[in-house]
Amino acid sequence: MSCQYNLLFLFLCGFAALSVSTETCGKDLLEGTFCIIKLTTRNNEKPSEIRWVHDTRGIVFRRKGGTIKEQSEGLSMEEDGSLRFLSVSLNDTGTYIFNAYNAAGTELGKGEVEIKVYEKAPKPAVKFSCTKDGKATLTCVIGERKDLTLSWYKEDKMIQNKKNPQVFLSSTQVQENKPYSCEAHNPVSKGKSESVTVSCKVEMKAVGDEVSFQLDKIVPPSVTNITWKHINSGRTVKAIEWEEGEIQTPITRFKGITTLDTETGQITIAKLTVEHSGVYTVDINGKEQAQRFTLTVMEPVPKPVIKIEPSDNPDVMYLICEYSDKIIWRNSAGETLTGLVYENTITVEKNGNPEEFYTCTLQNTVSEETSERVYERDLFKVLNREFVIWISIVLICLVFILLFLFIPPLYGSSAAR
C-alpha cells in the first residue's frame, strides 16, 4: 500500500511538473517563472539549425545538427527548437529573435517575441505625518522600487491609482477617522498594506509643561525593545529606549525628564522646552509603528503693560500694547472692542465716566495674560478746556476787581501828599 501511494505521488508530481514546464511565456512575467517561447516553422518542419538572439545580449542559444554551439546560463532548447527559461530574471527582459534553417540552409521560419520580467511587488507600509492645522500626508513606503503603480483605498474604496506614493488629507478628512491603505502592483503581482487610521491630534504645550503619548495598541509580553524617536528639522534621535530591562536616554535634552512605561509603552516628558517640539514615533522590537505624535512647545505670553500716549486733543488718549502675539482689547463691560483684535493701539475718548476702564489681553495657543486696568480717571487728570477757560475768565475778573478797588485809593493818597 505504501508503495502504491509513493508511485501515485511521483506520478502526480511528474504530471504537475510537466504541466508547468509546458507553460508558454506571456509578455509580462514574474521573476522566477519557468516557461517556453515557442518556435514556429513552415509546415512544422523540424529545423537543422536554430539561432536565438537577445536584442541587447546577442546570441543566447544556437544549435546546429543536433549539437549545441552556444548556450546562455538558465536556458535550454526543446526538441522542436523552442527556447526554455528555467527561471526568468530581470536581465531576461527584452526581445528574442529566432531564425530556423533546414540542412540545406533554407530558412524555415523567423520571428520575434518580447517579454518583460517584473520583480514581485512587496507588501508596503503606510506612514503619515501631520501639520499644525490638522492636515495629514500619507506615504506608501515601498523602498526604491520604480516599477510599481500605487492604489490608495479609503476603507474598501479606491481613491487614487497612480505612481504618486503620497495622499494629502484635509483636516475634515482626518477627523472622519477612516482607515486608509495602499496597494503596490505591477502587471504580474501586488501587495497591500495594513490599514491605518490617521490621528492628527497636535499636542500644544507651554514651556515647563509635561506631556505623555500613549499607544493605541497593547504592548504584548513578548516585546523586548521599545524605542521612542524624536524627529525635528529632518533629524531623528532616540528620546528614550528600553531593551531587555535597561532604559537609556542618550540625548541630553531628554535626560532626567523622560520616563517610559514598559508595560503600556507610554512616554512622558516633563519640563518641556521649545527644543522638544517635533514628531515622535515608536519602534516595537525594531519595527516602526504607524502611530505618530506631533508636539509643539511654545513660550507662554508675558503679562502685558499698557502705555499711555497723549494726543493733541486733551479729550483723546492713545493706549498702546506693543506685543507680537494676539492682542484683545476689552472695556469695563467685558466687551471685546470690535475690529481691534491684533491691533496694538486704540484711541480712547473721554466719556465722563471716571470708572470706565480698558485692558489688553495677550493670547497664544498655550497661554493668556491680561494687563492691569487703565481707568478713565487716570487718563484725563488734566482739567478740560471749558473748565480752564471758565477759571481763566474768573481769575481775570478778579484781577480787574482788585485793580478797581485798590488802585484809586492808592492814587488819591499820593495826590494828597
Side-chain angles (χ1 to χ4, degrees):
M1 182 67 70
S2 173
C3 180
Q4 290 178 343
Y5 282 132
N6 288 338
L7 289 173
L8 178 61
F9 175 76
L10 290 172
F11 173 77
L12 292 174
C13 288
F15 179 77
L18 181 62
S19 299
V20 174
S21 67
T22 57
E23 178 183 349
T24 301
C25 297
K27 182 178 180 181
D28 297 315
L29 298 171
L30 178 63
E31 186 179 26
T33 300
F34 52 98
C35 60
I36 295 175
I37 298 180
K38 291 290 187 179
L39 179 141
T40 56
T41 60
R42 184 175 66 245
N43 300 323
N44 292 324
E45 184 179 343
K46 185 178 179 180
S48 174
E49 181 181 354
I50 304 163
R51 181 167 54 193
W52 285 92
V53 179
H54 185 265
D55 58 355
T56 60
R57 289 157 51 193
I59 296 175
V60 293
F61 212 107
R62 186 165 70 92
R63 187 177 72 188
K64 185 174 183 179
T67 302
I68 297 175
K69 299 296 185 178
E70 295 183 57
Q71 180 181 6
S72 295
E73 185 178 356
L75 296 175
S76 66
M77 187 177 289
E78 300 295 286
E79 189 67 26
D80 64 358
S82 297
L83 188 66
R84 177 190 290 273
F85 291 89
L86 304 181
S87 178
V88 295
S89 67
L90 299 179
N91 290 332
D92 292 325
T93 293
T95 300
Y96 291 81
I97 304 164
F98 68 87
N99 295 94
Y101 304 90
N102 61 17
T106 302
E107 188 176 75
L108 299 178
K110 65 178 179 179
E112 61 181 52
V113 176
E114 182 181 359
I115 65 172
K116 171 71 174 176
V117 183
Y118 294 88
E119 189 178 352
K120 184 180 179 181
K123 180 180 180 179
V126 175
K127 294 184 179 181
F128 67 88
S129 59
C130 301
T131 61
K132 292 181 180 180
D133 54 359
K135 298 177 182 178
T137 300
L138 280 69
T139 303
C140 190
V141 181
I142 55 173
E144 299 298 322
R145 296 286 296 274
K146 304 295 184 183
D147 62 315
L148 299 171
T149 298
L150 302 177
S151 300
W152 280 97
Y153 294 85
K154 179 181 179 181
E155 296 181 305
D156 294 324
K157 183 180 179 181
M158 184 187 294
I159 58 173
Q160 181 173 292
N161 185 37
K162 49 187 176 181
K163 288 195 174 184
N164 187 353
Q166 292 185 320
V167 163
F168 303 95
L169 303 183
S170 66
S171 57
T172 302
Q173 290 172 315
V174 170
Q175 292 168 10
E176 291 176 346
N177 290 321
K178 300 294 184 181
Y180 289 83
S181 61
C182 70
E183 180 182 88
H185 53 90
N186 56 30
V188 295
S189 64
K190 62 182 178 180
K192 194 169 185 179
S193 72
E194 301 291 338
S195 294
V196 172
T197 300
V198 180
S199 175
C200 272
K201 181 181 179 183
V202 179
E203 290 284 349
M204 305 294 294
K205 295 291 183 179
V207 170
D209 284 353
E210 177 180 291
V211 69
S212 294
F213 296 129
Q214 175 65 57
L215 300 179
D216 56 8
K217 295 181 180 179
I218 298 175
V219 176
S222 59
V223 169
T224 59
N225 174 269
I226 301 174
T227 305
W228 279 91
K229 297 178 181 178
H230 176 225
I231 305 170
N232 192 10
S233 300
R235 185 167 179 258
T236 302
V237 299
K238 291 180 180 179
I240 192 168
E241 182 175 37
W242 170 72
E243 185 169 15
E244 297 181 350
E246 184 179 358
I247 294 179
Q248 294 182 338
T249 49
I251 303 300
T252 302
R253 64 175 171 270
F254 293 101
K255 285 184 181 293
I257 60 172
T258 308
T259 57
L260 175 64
D261 187 324
T262 57
E263 293 184 0
T264 65
Q266 176 176 294
I267 184 177
T268 300
I269 309 170
K271 300 179 182 178
L272 291 170
T273 68
V274 175
E275 288 184 332
H276 292 117
S277 297
V279 175
Y280 289 81
T281 64
V282 61
D283 291 358
I284 304 295
N285 281 353
K287 182 179 180 181
E288 184 175 322
Q289 306 301 296
Q291 196 173 6
R292 290 186 163 208
F293 304 86
T294 303
L295 172 66
T296 299
V297 183
M298 304 176 65
E299 293 282 356
V301 297
K303 183 172 182 176
V305 176
I306 297 177
K307 296 179 182 179
I308 303 170
E309 187 174 293
S311 71
D312 295 335
N313 186 340
D315 291 337
V316 175
M317 289 288 188
Y318 299 120
L319 301 185
I320 303 171
C321 200
E322 290 183 320
Y323 299 92
S324 59
D325 299 286
K326 181 180 179 180
I327 299 172
I328 301 173
W329 290 96
R330 292 188 177 95
N331 58 20
S332 51
E335 300 169 338
T336 300
L337 302 183
T338 305
L340 296 177
V341 176
Y342 291 103
E343 293 290 336
N344 60 10
T345 303
I346 63 171
T347 302
V348 176
E349 296 182 2
K350 183 178 180 182
N351 60 18
N353 181 3
E355 297 306 313
E356 178 83 6
F357 65 81
Y358 300 88
T359 61
C360 163
T361 298
L362 299 185
Q363 282 185 348
N364 63 16
T365 311
V366 298
S367 62
E368 177 178 308
E369 289 286 348
T370 300
S371 69
E372 298 293 339
R373 298 172 178 178
V374 174
Y375 286 88
E376 181 174 313
R377 63 172 178 262
D378 298 319
L379 289 175
F380 301 99
K381 291 180 180 179
V382 181
L383 298 177
N384 63 32
R385 182 180 299 172
E386 290 78 4
F387 185 71
V388 170
I389 294 174
W390 184 79
I391 291 295
S392 299
I393 294 172
V394 170
L395 289 175
I396 291 172
C397 290
L398 287 174
V399 169
F400 276 106
I401 291 172
L402 290 173
L403 290 174
F404 178 77
L405 291 176
F406 291 101
I407 289 179
L410 290 173
Y411 179 77
S413 301
S414 300
R417 293 179 184 174

